[in-house]
Amino acid sequence: MYIKKRPTDYKPPTLEELEKAYNEWLAKYPRKHGRTAKLSEDPEIRRQQIYKNLKSMQSRQRRKDIDDWHEKSYVERYGFGADDADCYGIRPVDRRRYNKCFKSCPHGASVELDYLRRMTGMTLYQIYIMQNETGLKPKPEVSEKAAKLDQKQRDDEGIYI
């Protein structure tokens, strides 16, 4: 196992530095949900609490920024917004849901096709397109024949999503 070593001159941030950064962060990004954090009176415990709270808020903000960037990149790459669909009827939100199903799956487990259809609401043909685009394939994998047969049946019966 590889353990990354810190530089020898590394010093953890002091309580005053953390409180200053925490207060600056709260001034920029006020809390919108939940209760305010109750901090301990013990300086060492308080330092750890502030450090963890600050890192948690920064992580959530970074995740939000990444999601905003993904949304922007969909518009730039495909030329349509969040509610616009491509020629296969796949919207950016469907793409994110598809990827999220694989991301949230436990390590080493496979994503079931029924689960994927339930969570995304996509047709077999759309799932076939997505598995070819992303390389993320459910179990059982959707074959081209099954996808085209499903699409033909939907066209014949007039079932549209």
Side-chain angles (χ1 to χ4, degrees):
M1 182 165 114
Y2 176 76
I3 298 175
K4 185 177 179 181
K5 293 184 179 181
R6 292 185 174 155
T8 54
D9 60 343
Y10 173 78
K11 293 180 184 172
T14 63
L15 180 60
E16 293 78 27
E17 292 171 346
L18 285 173
E19 284 179 337
K20 181 182 175 195
Y22 185 68
N23 290 332
E24 287 174 1
W25 186 268
L26 288 179
K28 282 193 301 187
Y29 301 102
R31 292 180 66 94
K32 294 180 181 166
H33 301 290
R35 54 189 175 174
T36 57
K38 293 183 181 178
L39 301 173
S40 174
E41 295 299 321
D42 182 24
E44 184 56 32
I45 294 174
R46 183 181 179 93
R47 188 184 74 75
Q48 287 178 353
Q49 287 176 328
I50 292 175
Y51 180 80
K52 288 180 180 180
N53 288 348
L54 186 61
K55 288 300 179 183
S56 175
M57 290 187 295
Q58 290 171 348
S59 174
R60 284 195 306 270
Q61 184 62 40
R62 189 171 46 251
R63 180 77 242 160
K64 184 180 175 208
D65 292 343
I66 288 171
D67 287 343
D68 291 344
W69 178 82
H70 277 285
E71 186 63 39
K72 182 179 155 201
S73 68
Y74 277 120
V75 172
E76 290 174 356
R77 273 189 279 172
Y78 301 112
F80 52 80
D83 295 329
D84 299 332
D86 64 1
C87 61
Y88 303 111
I90 303 172
R91 300 173 302 157
V93 69
D94 296 329
R95 293 176 188 280
R96 285 194 300 274
R97 286 178 185 152
Y98 185 87
N99 290 333
K100 189 78 168 187
C101 286
F102 288 92
K103 189 183 264 185
S104 63
C105 179
H107 183 69
S110 60
V111 176
E112 297 292 327
L113 180 60
D114 293 336
Y115 172 76
L116 195 59
R117 289 184 76 177
R118 185 172 58 248
M119 295 306 286
T120 62
M122 298 168 76
T123 65
L124 281 179
Y125 191 73
Q126 290 171 331
I127 291 173
Y128 174 73
I129 298 296
M130 286 300 299
Q131 79 181 12
N132 290 337
E133 282 183 10
T134 63
L136 303 172
K137 299 180 181 182
K139 300 289 183 205
E141 186 177 328
V142 180
S143 66
E144 183 178 7
K145 182 178 178 182
K148 288 187 176 181
L149 185 66
D150 181 60
Q151 187 68 21
K152 182 180 181 315
Q153 182 181 2
R154 288 178 179 280
D155 290 343
D156 291 346
E157 296 177 6
I159 301 172
Y160 301 102
I161 293 179

